[in-house]
Amino acid sequence: MARGLRPGEPPDAINLTRPEVLEEIARHYLEAGADLITTNTFGGSPARLRLHGLEEQTESINRTGVEAVRRVTGHRAYVSASVGPSGQVLAPHGKGDPAAISASFERQIRALAAAGADLICIETMTDLTEAILAVRAARAAAPGLPVMTTMTFEATRRGFFTVMGVSVEQAVRGLSEAGADILGSNCGNGSKLMVEIAREFRTHTRLPLAIQPNAGLPETVGDAVAYPESPEFMAEHAKELLSAGVGIIGGCCGTTPAHVRALRRVVG
Amino acid sequence: MSILREIAQSLEQGDEEGVGVLVRKALDERHAPLAILHDGLMAGMDVVGLRFRDRDIFLPDVLMAARAMQVGVDLLEPLLSRDGMPVAGRVVIGTVHGDMHDIGKNLVGIMLRCAGFDVIDLGTDVRPERFVDAAQEQEASVIGLSALLTTTMPVMKEVVALVRARGLDARVKVIVGGAPVSEAWAREIGADGYGYDAANAVERVRALMVPRA
């Protein structure tokens, strides 16, 4: 927002209007030492773009999102193409039609792959059925690319579950069977809980793990939003993630280049 | 177990068919429709809200219970006189301008309706003027604002400012919620309340309905 996103503007529209902003951000993270850089395409599925009247721009938004990162990284870092949830609750609990949501994921992922993404990063999923649709869509639309899929869990008295009630064990089983290559968790409530989530993943799978915590829960400082976890705090917990067997460590909301620089020092 | 208790339990389990059968049976046994609504359906939904808050159950369970509730309400509604359906108050809700996320907002709407509120849902991407116009025209006591994006949270502040600018702040209270929203944010922008989840939102709205001395 400091770079001019107006309140209410869909973040993915920036890809068309100001790709230079994406390049600037990618450059900061590349210089901080990131090996994977995520594209600004989280809301780039036609199901979501439709809400902003941008469905027809699906191909161009996803293509420009990938190309902006690629122009900066060349082949010094992987372009990780972000795919977020559809925003609909699937039938029978909601009105989301599985076939339509599946087609929406496929269309977005086809565009991401055609633009030269290195991997598909399906993230912030809470409904296992929807996540599986996305993984299958990636397998169909981008058969040559690795698929990383991460879900968002909450701590409950009975352990970690997504808001839709999916346990880590269920996520592992469902996503592995659907053909995901890399599993894990992103977003959520900070680095500390992520260490526990990662350990639980490790007890259920030998697949590579990816963990991308938020820098804590957002706090408001005046009109702005800030995240409480410092780069040092996040890096300290990254050591525990490494020893839990996590192979890909990153950050979600609130993770600045300074956080990535601190992570880089820990990961080596 | 009393039949009203059975209705509540059936609703908690999201058993649409069971709720339908039991509500009809309760009516046959001459239970008052209002009692069936209050001590059966609403009592069950209260439990659902608390169990969801504690994550003993999850979103799909709440949606199933809400559907079962609707089955029961549909049976009772024709039997209650126009004023017979208790109205706890009128609330205007919506997701703020620029934000299309509605899963959480819809859930709050369901829980408010189940708690007896008359809910006017303006949908998503709602501009501040529409919230305040609707509250004014429909004489609502509370405006409930939802945002899932940190980029759309500032719109909440505009709504609070507009309520004040029109001199409505004594009659219309503003409550906010959504994943990135916090009690501190509510205070910061001068909102009257913050609901950390759907069940809590109902409690907070209830509290706002009590006229202040």
Side-chain angles (χ1 to χ4, degrees), chain A residues 93, chain B residues 5-24 40-41 44-45 48 51 57 60-73 75:
Chain A
H93 302 302
Chain B
R5 183 80 201 95
E6 278 183 66
I7 290 171
Q9 283 197 353
S10 192
L11 184 137
E12 287 164 38
Q13 288 154 11
D15 180 358
E16 282 177 60
E17 213 184 308
V19 167
V21 169
L22 288 166
V23 167
R24 278 193 206 92
L41 300 174
M45 206 62 196
V48 169
R51 294 189 64 205
I57 57 172
D61 308 300
V62 179
L63 297 175
M64 271 162 56
R67 207 173 303 158
M69 173 105 188
Q70 195 56 51
V71 169
V73 168
L75 288 170

Side-chain angles (χ1 to χ4, degrees), chain A residues 1 5-11 42 48 51-52 87-89 92-94 154-158 161-166 217-225 227, chain B residues 52 54-61 63-64 67 97-103 124-125 149-155 157-158 179-182 184-186 188-189:
Chain A
M1 288 191 88
L5 178 68
R6 290 185 303 277
E9 187 181 11
F42 183 83
R48 286 211 68 80
L51 302 174
H52 299 278
Q88 299 173 33
V89 177
H93 302 302
E154 303 174 318
T156 78
R157 285 185 294 206
R158 290 180 292 132
F161 289 90
T162 72
V163 71
M164 297 299 284
V166 180
L217 281 183
E219 293 169 357
T220 49
V221 182
D223 272 2
V225 177
Y227 288 81
Chain B
F52 179 62
D54 295 338
R55 293 295 189 272
D56 284 334
I57 57 172
F58 298 95
L59 193 51
D61 308 300
L63 297 175
M64 271 162 56
R67 207 173 303 158
H97 175 50
D99 208 320
M100 302 293 173
H101 296 90
D102 63 359
I103 294 173
T124 60
D125 191 21
L149 303 172
T150 54
T151 54
T152 55
M153 282 165 61
V155 180
K157 192 177 178 175
E158 295 175 32
V181 178
S182 63
W185 173 251
E188 174 68 36
I189 64 170

Side-chain angles (χ1 to χ4, degrees), chain B residues 29-112:
Chain B
E29 291 175 9
R30 310 223 162 242
H31 284 275
L34 205 56
I36 299 174
L37 182 69
H38 258 290
D39 304 331
L41 300 174
M42 284 182 174
M45 206 62 196
D46 276 346
V47 173
V48 169
L50 293 174
R51 294 189 64 205
F52 179 62
R53 182 196 70 192
D54 295 338
R55 293 295 189 272
D56 284 334
I57 57 172
F58 298 95
L59 193 51
D61 308 300
V62 179
L63 297 175
M64 271 162 56
R67 207 173 303 158
M69 173 105 188
Q70 195 56 51
V71 169
V73 168
D74 287 346
L75 288 170
L76 296 177
E77 221 162 10
L79 303 172
L80 293 161
S81 64
R82 189 170 286 276
D83 325 302
M85 287 294 277
V87 176
R90 184 168 292 158
V91 185
V92 169
I93 64 168
T95 306
V96 299
H97 175 50
D99 208 320
M100 302 293 173
H101 296 90
D102 63 359
I103 294 173
K105 182 264 298 169
N106 292 346
L107 189 59
V108 170
I110 289 168
M111 299 296 283
L112 282 171

